[in-house]
Amino acid sequence: DVKVTQSSRYLVKRTGEKVFLECVQDMDHENMFWYRQDPGLGLRLIYFSYDVKMKEKGDIPEGYSVSREKKERFSLILESASTNQTSMYLCASIPGQGPSYEQYFGPGTRLTVT
Amino acid sequence: KQEVTQIPAALSVPEGENLVLNCSFTDSAIYNLQWFRQDPGKGLTSLLLIQSSQREQTSGRLNASLDKSSGRSTLYIAASQPGDSATYLCAVRGNTDKLIFGTGTRLQVFP
């Protein structure tokens, strides 16, 4: 079974703090994604990565950066957390670009910025 | 720009009913469509994936159909159970790896 893990289930940070959210997948997947999920807005793509050291902006990259130093690990960084970044953050991975490939999701990190 | 809509937003049914969840999308040039289940406060679990060349996929009591030309997919749940209570999300993938999600249908099955 594919396993996507996220470093924390719940996180509380203060405004202005630097926040790291870690995601690890154990199936040698090429592509990894970070989404945020908010009531009424659904899931929105923040950043994704096709390969080590490669990254692409999603639909809402402002206020975020990412790092992919190893294939299995994709980190989301909030350089200076703000209250409007309080949200559920979901990481996902996919083996490659074929039409039969499913995206697999981690359990999510509920981040609260106070 | 692709937009995905799910109707209804919420549904409450008694146990044992067969039910249909709807998903529509505006751009028929999709690569595949995926149905997910999400329990409160949890991540997404993939239920079914339908490639653009396929018409339907089945897994147990679940059957998903795809009509690309009309921009519609349905998820049919047979003999619903209280354990089926969750939010169901559909997502379409275009020619990139991005998934575009609907806002989901919140299902409650009561005993």
Side-chain angles (χ1 to χ4, degrees):
Chain A
D1 272 357
V2 176
K3 193 151 189 181
V4 181
T5 57
Q6 295 182 229
S7 51
S8 305
R9 290 299 311 280
Y10 301 95
L11 210 51
V12 180
K13 295 292 182 180
R14 295 196 181 276
T15 302
E17 279 193 78
K18 190 169 185 175
V19 182
F20 293 86
L21 303 182
E22 302 282 338
C23 175
V24 177
Q25 49 89 8
D26 66 356
M27 287 300 292
D28 201 35
H29 284 181
E30 297 289 331
N31 305 335
M32 297 185 73
F33 305 81
W34 275 106
Y35 297 87
R36 64 178 282 177
Q37 184 178 30
D38 301 287
L41 297 176
L43 276 88
R44 294 177 292 168
L45 181 64
I46 305 171
Y47 266 98
F48 59 106
S49 169
Y50 287 120
D51 202 350
V52 175
K53 298 193 186 296
M54 293 184 69
K55 59 186 179 184
E56 297 278 346
K57 291 180 180 179
D59 299 317
I60 52 164
E62 297 78 18
Y64 303 94
S65 62
V66 290
S67 172
R68 194 165 181 203
E69 296 295 321
K70 293 184 178 181
K71 192 174 185 180
E72 68 270 19
R73 187 180 298 270
F74 192 35
S75 303
L76 181 69
I77 303 157
L78 287 66
E79 294 289 343
S80 178
S82 64
T83 55
N84 63 11
Q85 292 178 310
T86 291
S87 186
M88 172 70 118
Y89 289 87
L90 293 160
C91 174
S93 70
I94 191 169
Q97 297 187 358
S100 64
Y101 291 142
E102 301 175 22
Q103 277 204 15
Y104 294 90
F105 280 78
T109 296
R110 171 75 64 186
L111 172 67
T112 302
V113 182
T114 62
Chain B
K1 180 184 172 185
Q2 178 73 271
E3 291 183 3
V4 181
T5 304
Q6 290 187 247
I7 294 173
L11 188 60
S12 184
V13 299
E15 182 177 7
E17 273 204 12
N18 302 323
L19 49 99
V20 175
L21 308 182
N22 296 294
C23 172
S24 61
F25 46 95
T26 55
D27 184 351
S28 62
I30 64 169
Y31 215 37
N32 60 38
L33 183 146
Q34 203 167 345
W35 281 94
F36 295 90
R37 169 189 172 132
Q38 186 176 32
D39 294 293
K42 302 285 180 65
L44 277 66
T45 300
S46 180
L47 297 173
L48 290 164
L49 180 144
I50 310 177
Q51 299 179 49
S52 62
S53 58
Q54 297 173 329
R55 299 275 304 176
E56 65 178 337
Q57 285 286 332
T58 298
S59 176
R61 293 182 294 109
L62 304 179
N63 176 276
S65 67
L66 175 64
D67 184 343
K68 223 174 61 158
S69 60
S70 67
R72 292 181 187 172
S73 176
T74 60
L75 179 68
Y76 175 82
I77 303 176
S80 58
Q81 304 170 357
D84 295 330
S85 299
T87 296
Y88 291 81
L89 296 157
C90 74
V92 299
R93 182 176 155 200
N95 58 4
T96 68
D97 283 340
K98 295 182 185 182
L99 284 182
I100 308 298
F101 283 85
T103 50
T105 294
R106 192 171 64 254
L107 172 66
Q108 183 182 9
V109 181
F110 54 90

